[in-house]
Amino acid sequence: MRAFGRSDTGRVRSSNQDAFICGRLPGGAVFAVVSDGMGGANGGNVASAIAIKVISDRIVDVYREGMGQNSLRHMLESAISAANVEIFDAAMADTDLRGMGTTVVSVLVVDGQVHIAHVGDSRAYIVVGEGMEQVTRDHSIVQTMVEKGQLTPDEARNHPRKHFITRALGVEETVECDYNEFPFPREGLLLICTDGLTNMVETDEIYKTVKTSVVDDIPDRLIGAANMAGGSDNITVVVLSAS
């Protein structure tokens, strides 16, 4: 199992508020964490950096071979809670950082099983021969409107409030994350990304790029596609592959 990625500032922003980390764990397990900060140049950078450090440190410190499903879930959820507290406290201690926050997608693959905990609108997808499926749910205003039948998915893509998220780490004292687990796809891969990719490149094009690329080249090629489309935001792409 391999995990690797890349982050890019894009063509419009002056700084990169995205952050990510990939790592190996005992027994062949791998993990990845992706964050997209918000709250001004300084605040966004700080929030995403705190999230990456706190969550990855907790995973590395706590993970042991043979942990049960409930223990793995608790590890990811408690790591996100710890990051939320640290970001919130940092914002309360510095007026320049007030209002900062970040999305997060935290992924652990152990013995062929994927464990995902996430907050916000950064996404994870399974990509297999038959197509591409989003396995996280956006915590956003437009997603809620789609689920209520007030918008179609096509209308949501270009809605003026598509950047408004309903959950983020560090904005409040506590945060609720969503958790999901499923088998790692046979002959497929897991793609994790910030909205700098998905807001610029259509799902069909992402899928086509993934399927026509050598695995190691996928992050570079997708970031290139987002920049070719305008690169209006920071872009982060992480790939987990069994091959």
Side-chain angles (χ1 to χ4, degrees):
M1 182 67 63
R2 295 187 293 160
F4 47 92
R6 189 187 155 208
S7 189
D8 189 81
T9 303
R11 300 179 63 184
V12 174
R13 302 291 178 89
S14 59
S15 64
N16 192 349
Q17 299 181 50
D18 287 1
F20 79 94
I21 190 170
C22 304
R24 295 183 180 276
L25 296 165
V30 298
F31 73 92
V33 187
V34 172
S35 290
D36 179 359
M38 62 184 193
N42 292 331
N45 292 342
V46 172
S48 60
I50 291 174
I52 294 298
K53 177 170 175 39
V54 171
I55 294 170
S56 62
D57 283 354
R58 180 67 64 94
I59 291 171
V60 171
D61 290 345
V62 174
Y63 179 78
R64 298 291 183 273
E65 289 185 71
M67 290 176 71
Q69 307 296 319
N70 289 338
S71 296
L72 293 171
R73 175 173 184 167
H74 177 72
M75 179 182 70
L76 291 179
E77 291 178 339
S78 64
I80 286 176
S81 294
N84 183 77
V85 169
E86 189 152 335
I87 296 167
F88 181 82
D89 288 349
M92 291 300 99
D94 186 342
T95 55
D96 291 338
L97 300 178
R98 293 285 167 85
M100 72 175 177
T102 185
T103 70
V104 69
V105 181
S106 185
V107 177
L108 177 67
V109 182
V110 182
D111 296 330
Q113 193 77 1
V114 181
H115 306 262
I116 297 183
H118 84 283
V119 177
D121 63 352
S122 295
R123 295 177 176 176
Y125 293 89
I126 282 179
V127 185
V128 293
E130 299 78 29
M132 180 167 155
E133 177 186 359
Q134 185 176 339
V135 291
T136 52
R137 173 187 173 271
D138 292 355
H139 300 140
S140 67
I141 288 176
V142 294
Q143 178 63 34
T144 301
M145 294 173 73
V146 168
E147 291 171 359
K148 290 181 177 179
Q150 297 169 343
L151 287 176
T152 68
D154 285 341
E155 290 170 338
R157 280 194 201 97
N158 299 307
H159 196 276
R161 301 179 77 188
K162 69 179 181 179
H163 298 295
F164 288 40
I165 60 176
T166 54
R167 293 188 218 171
L169 266 66
V171 177
E172 299 180 355
E173 288 186 81
T174 61
V175 69
E176 179 185 359
C177 68
D178 285 359
Y179 175 84
N180 193 9
E181 63 180 68
F182 48 86
F184 195 91
R186 286 178 177 268
E187 299 181 5
L189 54 82
L190 194 66
L191 174 72
I192 312 162
C193 60
T194 57
D195 64 356
L197 175 66
T198 52
N199 284 339
M200 301 305 299
V201 185
E202 295 291 336
T203 302
D204 288 349
E205 186 179 346
I206 294 174
Y207 175 71
K208 180 180 178 181
T209 301
V210 170
K211 297 306 292 183
T212 58
S213 301
V214 176
V215 174
D216 302 39
D217 292 340
I218 290 172
D220 281 337
R221 289 197 63 194
L222 289 176
I223 286 171
N227 280 327
M228 284 290 290
S232 65
D233 199 355
N234 308 145
I235 314 144
T236 299
V237 178
V238 171
V239 173
L240 283 75
S241 173
S243 60

